[in-house]
Amino acid sequence: MDTDRRRVIEIVNLQNKWRREQCVNLIASESLMSPLAERLFVSDFEGRYNEHSGPERHYEGTKFSYEIEEICNELFRKNFITRYADVRPISGAIANLIIYAALTKPGDIIVGLGIPNGAHISHTRWGVAGIRGLKNVDVAFNVATMNIDVDKTVEIIKKASPKLVMLGASMFLFPEPIREIKEQINPKIKIIYDAAHVFGLVYNKVFQRPFDEGADIITSSTHKTFQGPQGGIIIGNYKLLHEDWKKIDTAIFPGTLSNTHIHRFPALAITALEMNKFGRAYAEQVVKNAKALGRALFDRGFKVLCPHLGFTESHQLILDVRKHGGGQYVAKQLARCNIICNKMALPQDSPHDATHNPSGIRLGVQELTRWGMKEPDMATVAEFWKRAMIDKEPTERIKYDIIAFKKKFNKILYCFNPQKALHELEKVG
Ligand SMILES: Cc1ncc(COP(=O)(O)O)c(C=O)c1O
């Protein structure tokens, strides 16, 4: 019993030290909250319930949880210039499920990217779309530009007559042609833009503006490039009909959720406030770093996709690593050196290869940016890659150098000054 207790504490300490102090983290879907957001993540809200929407709640004791939820909603309403935002979905996949529950019926068709082209599983029959009984049709994808082929996709949409078109992706290098698709399809078909990966860039207006370009609804996680607590969000275009938003509200509660994990709201509000103040500089540096890392890896002989397009316009890079042993092998080999990233299926992979040893690796630079790294540091990271995968230096030697390198980046940036903020916290208390 005592050893289990000790081990639990030890595991948390080991995790904190390893992933925060000793690794170069390139997982594209992860986030690092600011010290103040993290401090506010644990509070009495953690054990409370707050069912229903608006001021009418099913339990007493909810006046502060309602207020903090509303502060969050209002921050997102303001940023996206709309009346419709709801932070109750507990994750990005659940936000998509809520949309399906609200706006489709079992047997309906949805058009999405398809797994080989980077769709999230929740857009497919293997995920929550399948649980809702929806049928999938995939867009046409242009592998050379790693983007949707508009003409062929419009034809596919016209033929399939879907209820929804799910844009956005997990493999997401370039802004998608929302406007071009919207202008050519039946206006009754709703475009849902799943911004999970690029939400921090979209929020700070350095990627694309989904609502201006024709998306009806944005779904997202709140914890990838938007570096908040793990959770989900749904935002409606200001043009959305009130009756559609009502359906979404009902699909959230009582349809899909009871408890909405309200302890995340203070951290979410602080993250949004920090994004309002520091987010533009953060998001611009993320894209600069991604491009710089793409160039540095490419110059060292790695096959980074889309060199003719500057590699990326987001936080991500995609590499074809077949000649280095495939995505699974490369990800595991790099992890031995404390470089953390994940394997990725590429569009041309067979279903067998896609699951067993896909051709690709996906990288994201949002966390390195948060630690204060800039373009020259991306060359250092690329050099570690080369030493691991081309020079095949002993992993222990590379790991030693990575730990020394990471020591220089030990403060989380683009956030409120932690000392000042924590001092204020005590004063306010
Ligand atoms: C495009 C996309 N949508 C939704 C999700 C699911 O988000 P969550 O993990 O918050 O459920 C992901 C997760 O990586 C994603 O990439």
Side-chain angles (χ1 to χ4, degrees), residues 29 90-94 96 118-120 122-123 168-171 194-197 220-224 231-232 362:
S29 55
I90 56 175
S91 81
I94 295 298
N96 288 335
H120 187 251
S122 61
H123 304 183
S170 300
M171 181 163 68
D194 181 341
H197 263 271
S220 187
S221 308
T222 52
H223 53 265
K224 301 186 197 303
R362 182 185 67 178

Side-chain angles (χ1 to χ4, degrees), residues 2-27:
D2 218 30
T3 46
D4 282 348
R5 182 179 56 83
R6 208 172 306 125
R7 184 61 185 156
V8 170
I9 296 167
E10 200 174 60
I11 282 173
V12 174
N13 288 339
L14 286 169
Q15 168 78 9
N16 284 344
K17 190 166 181 59
W18 178 48
R19 291 295 301 274
R20 292 202 171 190
E21 295 176 20
Q22 302 184 329
C23 287
V24 162
N25 185 31
L26 290 160
I27 301 275

Side-chain angles (χ1 to χ4, degrees), residues 97-99 101-103 246-257:
L97 175 62
I98 289 162
I99 293 301
L103 304 177
K246 272 309 291 172
K247 286 185 199 159
I248 292 169
D249 182 61
T250 309
I252 294 174
F253 183 84
T256 314
L257 297 172

